[in-house]
Every structure is written in structure tokens, then in C-alpha cells.
Amino acid sequence: MSRKSTRVTRQSTTRKATGSEAAATPRLLSGGNPQIAKGDGDRPVQAYIAAMPGWKRDIGRRLDKLIERSVPGVHKAVKWNSPFYGVEGQGWFLSFHCFTRYVKVAFFRGTSLRPIPPGASKSGDTRYLDIHEDDAFDEAQVAAWVTQASRLPGERL
């Protein structure tokens, strides 16, 4: 075996160990957003929430529980390092993402919700709700938006 191939083998072994460590402790991307492997179901969403830094983790847990209560049987997945929520066969209605100072909740058909969520978007129908650390969390309003959003045609991503 040549010296070069031995070096490649050692590097590969090192990468595998680093990869398993990364799987155990997700890396935080810019703004503190957890890097979680894409996957369907509750497990990757719970891994994302568990990896959310500081106060954002509590927001993630509250959002997840609120969505589960509002939409029984909600379909979950992690795509593009963000949890997505949808109705099987209808598409995705909501996602959230960590930023440095807030958690951004995206309602994909937000302009159809009443009242319309406050954050504008460059994409036509999407509206946002930014939740900062010291913001009051209006669970009743967010639950109403989640329920309304789940009844609309979702995004096919």
C-alpha cells in the first residue's frame, strides 16, 4: 500500500469519528440555527428543538406542542435545517428557523390568515412572525393561525 493511500484511509477514519460526534452534538450554524440532517417524522424535529440554543429551545418546544394540539396527526420533517409542519397529502403550512436574536415562524399561506401575521415576505403568500426573547407569546393567536394555515393548500417542497 502506498503512503498516499494510507494517509487517505487515516483521514477517512478521522472523518467518520468526527461525523458521529457531529451527529451526537449538532453544529450551530450562523445565527445559532442547528444543523440537523434532513428527515421525516417527529425524531428529527425533536433533535432540532433539543439543539436550539438558550431561550429559543423553549420557544421551539412551545411551538411544537401548540402545533400538535392544533393539528392532530400533523406531519413533521426537517428540511434545510428547519422543522416543517404539514398535512399529509396537502403539503407544508408552517416552518420555523433560528436567527441570532429571534425565532422566525413562516406561514406559507400567511396572506390568507386572519388577521394576517405581521412580517412581510418577498414571496407572495408567505407571512412571518418573529419571536424575540422578551416578546409576549400570544398562544391563542398563534394557535388560531396554525389551525387556519393547516386547512389551506400547503406548499409542495
Side-chain angles (χ1 to χ4, degrees):
M1 190 184 293
S2 76
R3 183 170 241 214
K4 185 176 181 182
S5 65
T6 303
R7 206 171 343 168
V8 170
T9 303
R10 285 186 191 140
Q11 287 175 346
S12 297
T13 303
T14 303
R15 268 191 228 124
K16 286 179 185 175
T18 303
S20 64
E21 288 171 15
T25 307
R27 186 173 76 123
L28 295 180
L29 302 171
S30 65
N33 194 54
Q35 184 176 28
I36 301 293
K38 184 169 72 168
D40 286 316
D42 188 54
R43 178 174 276 157
V45 170
Q46 295 310 315
Y48 178 94
I49 292 168
M52 291 172 77
W55 63 269
K56 296 170 192 171
R57 185 176 309 118
D58 182 51
I59 295 296
R61 286 184 187 125
R62 290 176 71 185
L63 285 168
D64 186 64
K65 296 292 183 213
L66 183 147
I67 295 164
E68 285 180 341
R69 281 192 312 269
S70 300
V71 186
V74 68
H75 181 70
K76 300 179 186 184
V78 170
K79 298 172 177 285
W80 304 288
N81 296 308
S82 295
F84 279 71
Y85 296 81
V87 175
E88 193 73 43
Q90 293 182 343
W92 305 106
F93 62 84
L94 178 147
S95 168
F96 61 87
H97 190 90
C98 287
F99 286 90
T100 303
R101 294 188 176 98
Y102 58 94
V103 174
K104 180 177 284 296
V105 181
F107 294 95
F108 300 125
R109 300 280 183 245
T111 57
S112 298
L113 305 179
R114 296 296 175 255
I116 295 174
S121 172
K122 290 179 183 177
S123 68
D125 290 340
T126 302
R127 294 294 289 198
Y128 299 114
L129 173 65
D130 294 344
I131 305 170
H132 296 83
E133 183 173 12
D134 296 324
D135 287 350
F137 186 83
D138 186 347
E139 277 199 33
Q141 181 59 70
V142 175
W145 282 330
V146 167
T147 301
Q148 291 176 54
S150 71
R151 293 179 179 152
L152 298 169
E155 285 290 325
R156 308 274 182 189
L157 304 171

